[in-house]
Amino acid sequence: MRLLINKLVLGLSSLAAVIGLVFLGWILITLIIKGSEALSPYIFTHDLINNGIRNLLFGQFVLAGLATIIGIPIGIMAGIYLQEYSNGSKYADFIRDLSDVMMSAPSIVIGTFVYAVVVMPTGHTAGWAGVFALFVMMLPIVVRATDDMLSLVPTELREAGIAIGASKYHVIVNIILRAAKVGIVTGLILAFARVVGETAPLLYTSGSSVYWSTDLSDTFPSITVSIYNLATMPDDKMVQLAWAAALVLTFFVLILNLLGRYIIREKHH
Amino acid sequence: MKDIANIMEIQDFSFTYPKAENPSLKNINLPIKENHITALIGPSGCGKSTLLRAMNRIHDLYPGCHYEGAIKLKNQDGSIGNILDIKKENDFIALRQRVGMIFQKPTPFPMTIYENIAYGLRIAGIKNKNDLEEIIVKSLQDAALWNEVKDRLHQDARGLSGGQQQRLCITRVVALKPDLMLFDEPTSALDPISTLAIEEMILGLKEKYSIAIVTHNMQQASRISDYTAFMYLGDLVEFNDTDVMFTNPKEQQTNNYITGKFG
Ligand SMILES: Nc1ncnc2c1ncn2[C@@H]1O[C@H](COP(=O)(O)OP(=O)(O)OP(=O)(O)O)[C@@H](O)[C@H]1O
Ligand SMILES: [Mg+2]
């Protein structure tokens, strides 16, 4: 009987895995076939106004990059506070719960929130609003990644640092962070990969633009929002460009994820 | 008992953990003898680690500990200070440089073998590269670790075997030339051969240093210690010469414990 159940469970879960892989493969293959039609060096050297995606790629990286640059130090410091300084206080538990809730909040909710607090009062979409939305998405991921990775560092290591005469600050900076470094860096890469492909937080915040732009106080180009816009256009050429952009973005996020996972794997061997 | 100077004297000492109702240590009186090894033995939970961890006040890493009594430490100039009076961060750092500690599990820092030793030295104010080099080589030689690591000084210390890691951790403390070294079951995570190497190392250290060691291993206590303290349920039951303790203890409880009747 038990044997039968075992086989059944194994069979069902294998089936589920196969179904998952089939769909994933289908998506990837469709993406590659449709995406490669418009894929050419040309689109990387021209902006959307001239049927390229240069400004979109650049815009996406500026938005996600700035969110990361602001989010990482704040997130890491918050994670350090939670693990090293909070002494298990109620306040710390509250921040952990809040981060978990924020992490599972649908991204459109965050987009709408930023729309309400930034875009509505100023009256127009702006790059900064998009950066802020991505930052809000990213922060809890960085906080919890840091928190979790630091919690894996054994207490004895902290005590050994103190016992040798180091101050708590030096123990954290020179010993604990270093011991958790690989895990934290991996968390950061995965956090970046998570926000770099987001559409919903940008849709109503940074808006979309067909021109090259470096002015974050104005509507700002991004690849995800433009894919969304292009894909619904009646023009076949534009739809093809959307596929190509989707392929480029997917490829990039995939590489980032693989890199993150590779680092994790390296650490465990 | 011969009359030997004390490096530390624990007097009417009681200790309560943060948020705990009852003290984990009650009215302890115990001398730690200079240039000798004192073993702390007793059944699990009797307070051996708690007492050891009071001697360098590492407890204070966690706020809310409550101390009573006195722990007097002899300074290098012969004067005596109560370490329970320490309040300032700098004085804590100075205390821990003078009273070093080695833990149950080896705790190499995530850096090279060289840096593991240099780290504490730099904090202690030794920054000159030649001075550092000299002390590090000398300490490793004293620890009989030099031959094993001399070709990999600049590799990650976490690549060493468990026994080597533990000897490095001891070396790291010895390099600071402490007055007193505290060991909390330093061999309980190691194989018999590494254990012997560490025991030999500790025996060699007592020429220059005073040592207190917690151990669960009765043979280990009798092999390496000069004095033994038996603790039970937060009390110090008996303190005696190790020879006397293991052949002819004063207290019935001690006798029961070392003959294996409980614990
Ligand atoms: N952080 C803590 N908070 C409250 N009580 C504690 C804490 N750590 C230890 N205790 C209690 O203090 C008592 C002494 O513990 P301690 O760790 O000193 O025992 P031990 O003799 O070292 O035991 P073992 O041989 O198992 O290491 C035990 O009753 C233990 O439950
Ligand atoms: Mg213990």
Side-chain angles (χ1 to χ4, degrees):
Chain A
M1 188 61 195
R2 175 161 318 150
L3 212 67
L4 197 73
I5 294 180
N6 261 342
K7 281 200 170 143
L8 200 71
V9 171
L10 184 68
L12 282 176
S13 46
S14 310
L15 188 69
V18 168
I19 293 177
L21 278 177
V22 165
F23 275 97
L24 189 66
W26 188 8
I27 293 172
L28 275 178
I29 288 169
T30 313
L31 199 59
I32 290 170
I33 292 172
K34 300 241 184 192
S36 51
E37 281 172 32
L39 194 67
S40 69
Y42 176 88
I43 64 170
F44 292 102
T45 51
H46 292 80
D47 298 334
L48 185 54
I49 186 72
N50 297 317
N51 300 325
I53 61 170
R54 183 180 65 171
N55 68 324
L56 305 181
L57 274 176
F58 174 76
Q60 192 85 20
F61 278 97
V62 169
L63 295 176
L66 283 175
T68 308
I69 289 171
I70 304 168
I72 282 180
I74 297 179
I76 288 185
M77 280 195 283
I80 290 176
Y81 166 77
L82 288 180
Q83 197 54 234
E84 307 292 333
Y85 285 101
S86 70
N87 282 311
S89 69
K90 289 236 163 59
Y91 177 61
D93 287 340
F94 172 71
I95 294 185
R96 285 199 178 96
D97 289 342
L98 186 70
S99 301
D100 287 346
V101 169
M102 271 170 72
M103 256 198 289
S104 48
S107 51
I108 187 73
V109 173
I110 290 168
T112 314
F113 161 74
V114 174
Y115 177 76
V117 299
V118 180
V119 180
M120 290 239 284
T122 57
H124 64 92
T125 54
W128 281 120
V131 170
F132 183 53
L134 292 183
F135 163 77
V136 172
M137 278 207 68
M138 177 147 198
L139 189 62
I141 308 178
V142 178
V143 171
R144 288 313 306 264
T146 309
D147 186 24
D148 288 345
M149 289 306 139
L150 291 179
S151 77
L152 294 180
V153 178
T155 315
E156 291 89 353
L157 201 56
R158 295 180 174 80
E159 295 184 346
I162 295 288
I164 209 119
S167 64
K168 182 161 181 169
Y169 168 78
H170 280 122
V171 170
I172 292 171
V173 173
N174 301 335
I175 298 175
I176 306 304
L177 278 181
R178 211 184 287 197
K181 184 175 63 187
V182 179
I184 294 176
V185 169
T186 311
L188 299 181
I189 294 177
L190 294 180
F192 180 77
R194 171 91 175 75
V195 301
V196 79
E198 279 292 341
T199 315
L202 299 179
L203 203 52
Y204 309 122
T205 54
S206 54
S208 68
S209 164
V210 295
Y211 302 105
W212 177 268
S213 170
T214 52
D215 179 9
L216 285 158
S217 61
D218 204 349
T219 293
F220 208 73
S222 67
I223 200 162
T224 46
V225 176
S226 289
I227 290 173
Y228 174 77
N229 290 338
L230 293 171
T232 51
M233 282 186 182
D235 182 347
D236 267 358
K237 270 212 133 59
M238 290 297 107
V239 177
Q240 273 183 10
L241 192 62
W243 278 108
L247 178 61
V248 171
L249 182 64
T250 307
F251 186 72
F252 187 76
V253 173
L254 206 65
I255 298 269
L256 275 182
N257 271 298
L258 288 179
L259 183 69
R261 267 151 238 275
Y262 171 77
I263 297 177
I264 294 180
R265 188 119 31 91
E266 277 298 282
K267 198 201 167 176
H268 291 299
H269 286 287
Chain B
M1 227 181 272
K2 282 176 290 175
D3 197 26
I4 293 162
N6 300 330
I7 182 74
M8 183 178 268
E9 236 177 286
I10 300 167
Q11 295 169 341
D12 302 324
F13 178 67
S14 299
F15 178 86
T16 312
Y17 275 107
K19 298 199 188 111
E21 300 228 331
N22 301 309
S24 290
L25 295 173
K26 287 161 281 183
N27 214 26
I28 305 277
N29 284 283
L30 174 72
I32 306 290
K33 301 283 182 188
E34 240 169 3
N35 294 94
H36 284 74
I37 300 178
T38 304
L40 302 178
I41 62 169
S44 191
C46 68
K48 306 179 294 293
S49 299
T50 307
L51 181 58
L52 198 76
R53 290 161 63 87
M55 298 184 198
N56 67 348
R57 291 197 59 186
I58 193 129
H59 284 303
D60 289 69
L61 202 50
Y62 313 96
C65 296
H66 183 71
Y67 301 91
E68 269 170 54
I71 298 183
K72 303 224 166 120
L73 178 64
K74 189 160 114 188
N75 294 317
Q76 257 134 5
D77 63 7
S79 66
I80 287 173
N82 181 0
I83 66 166
L84 298 186
D85 291 340
I86 292 176
K87 295 207 170 55
K88 283 187 292 210
E89 172 88 10
N90 279 347
D91 296 338
F92 274 116
I93 289 175
L95 169 67
R96 284 159 192 157
Q97 283 164 347
R98 294 190 49 212
V99 183
M101 178 167 239
I102 288 93
F103 298 79
Q104 183 168 357
K105 272 197 244 135
T107 51
F109 298 146
M111 16 179 126
T112 64
I113 294 169
Y114 182 95
E115 282 300 320
N116 257 275
I117 307 176
Y119 188 64
L121 291 171
R122 285 204 195 95
I123 292 171
I126 301 163
K127 303 236 158 90
N128 180 293
K129 203 160 176 299
N130 294 333
D131 293 350
L132 278 175
E133 184 103 25
E134 194 178 316
I135 298 175
I136 290 169
V137 173
K138 176 85 172 54
S139 325
L140 283 168
Q141 283 167 342
D142 286 352
L145 201 56
W146 175 248
N147 283 332
E148 288 160 75
V149 303
K150 63 171 187 270
D151 299 323
R152 51 204 283 205
L153 280 182
H154 298 288
Q155 290 172 22
D156 198 315
R158 291 168 295 181
L160 295 171
S161 77
Q164 290 170 329
Q165 288 182 6
Q166 191 65 309
R167 279 188 285 150
L168 176 64
C169 291
I170 300 175
T171 309
R172 192 167 77 184
V173 172
V174 173
L176 292 171
K177 299 208 184 328
D179 298 327
L180 171 60
M181 293 178 69
L182 311 171
F183 293 82
D184 195 349
E185 302 190 40
T187 61
S188 66
L190 303 176
D191 61 275
I193 292 176
S194 305
T195 298
L196 275 184
I198 301 235
E199 284 183 8
E200 254 169 48
M201 191 169 171
I202 296 176
L203 273 174
L205 287 171
K206 78 171 174 176
E207 277 180 32
K208 289 188 193 154
Y209 305 97
S210 314
I211 289 163
I213 177 169
V214 170
T215 176
H216 260 287
N217 182 329
M218 230 54 68
Q219 282 84 35
Q220 183 167 69
S222 64
R223 271 197 302 266
I224 65 174
S225 74
D226 305 296
Y227 302 95
T228 300
F230 171 64
M231 296 176 68
Y232 185 61
L233 295 178
D235 290 314
L236 185 88
V237 177
E238 181 168 353
F239 172 71
N240 221 326
D241 282 343
T242 297
D243 297 340
V244 180
M245 194 81 151
F246 282 93
T247 51
N248 190 16
K250 281 197 301 262
E251 304 289 333
Q252 188 57 37
Q253 271 179 328
T254 318
N255 193 38
N256 288 349
Y257 182 68
I258 58 182
T259 54
K261 292 210 181 86
F262 76 97

